Amino acid sequence: MLLNHARLMRFFIEAEDIIGRKKLQKMIYILKKMGVPFNEKFAFHFYGPYSEELTLRIEELCNLGFITEEKQDKGHYSQYHYRISDAGKQFLEQAPDDLPACKEEIEQLNNQRSRFLELVATVLFFEDLPRHEIEKKVQEVKSSANYSESEIEEAWQFIDQLKQNQLH
């Protein structure tokens, strides 16, 4: 098993339960931006940063029986629940991973709504720009989300809080 797969499995042990594909993508992206050694490449997509590599790795882990994916019909959309399986836990006991201790950060992210994580991830995607340009860019690329100034300010505060606890 590759190290990147083992890191994801350790992430699922720490997270216990992830509800939603979008939330999963944003959590991994934000953790990566905070210094957690995830190697998946991300590009900007309709819902913010997205990694096809991550999607494929999750699919592989599901096919191997190490991660469970439970699809729930919510009427006009489907929602997915992810968690590590007993087989995944047993395998990870044998497989090395180097994911730093980040349970607190994972819980902090997992307690947020997907919409908010999408905003945070989008802000981080443009972090090389000055703050006012980032905010302008967020309003442009996420115009349909109609983020308020207070939501954007909350995202900045959340990012600052994450960076204060940043892993080294």
Side-chain angles (χ1 to χ4, degrees):
M1 169 100 5
L2 300 172
L3 181 58
N4 292 321
H5 291 78
R7 288 175 179 155
L8 285 172
M9 290 171 59
R10 177 72 57 203
F11 165 82
F12 280 103
I13 283 179
E14 301 295 337
E16 296 176 15
D17 188 38
I18 302 290
I19 300 172
R21 288 177 170 172
K22 181 168 72 169
K23 184 176 225 179
L24 172 60
Q25 286 274 337
K26 302 317 167 222
M27 288 177 69
I28 296 293
Y29 180 77
I30 293 166
L31 288 168
K32 180 178 178 168
K33 295 300 277 185
M34 294 299 121
V36 177
F38 289 114
N39 291 329
E40 290 77 11
K41 291 175 179 62
F42 285 80
F44 201 79
H45 196 261
F46 185 71
Y47 294 110
Y50 170 79
S51 172
E52 190 170 333
E53 280 180 82
L54 177 58
T55 298
L56 292 172
R57 282 201 180 106
I58 296 297
E59 190 175 304
E60 289 168 350
L61 291 170
C62 289
N63 289 340
L64 290 167
F66 294 150
I67 300 291
T68 63
E69 177 186 69
E70 180 185 327
K71 181 179 178 180
Q72 293 184 330
D73 185 12
K74 295 290 188 177
H76 60 288
Y77 71 98
S78 295
Q79 189 171 57
Y80 295 83
H81 288 235
Y82 296 93
R83 62 184 64 87
I84 194 161
S85 68
D86 289 339
K89 289 176 187 173
Q90 290 172 358
F91 184 87
L92 199 51
E93 288 175 9
Q94 314 284 317
D97 77 273
D98 62 353
L99 196 69
C102 55
K103 185 169 182 62
E104 185 178 315
E105 290 83 357
I106 291 170
E107 287 176 359
Q108 199 174 6
L109 292 168
N110 207 6
N111 288 333
Q112 302 299 321
R113 292 182 20 234
S114 293
R115 172 182 160 81
F116 181 69
L117 293 178
E118 182 179 340
L119 172 58
V120 169
T122 301
V123 167
L124 288 170
F125 190 83
F126 296 112
E127 72 179 346
D128 293 335
L129 299 173
R131 181 175 170 146
H132 71 279
E133 288 185 35
I134 292 171
E135 292 176 6
K136 183 179 175 186
K137 196 80 160 161
V138 167
Q139 294 293 7
E140 288 173 10
V141 299
K142 304 303 297 167
S143 61
S144 63
N146 202 23
Y147 289 115
S148 68
E149 286 182 29
S150 64
E151 286 176 304
I152 293 172
E153 183 56 38
E154 185 182 345
W156 283 114
Q157 290 172 6
F158 187 76
I159 290 166
D160 287 343
Q161 182 183 2
L162 287 173
K163 285 183 177 180
Q164 286 175 3
N165 301 334
Q166 192 165 348
L167 305 165
H168 301 287

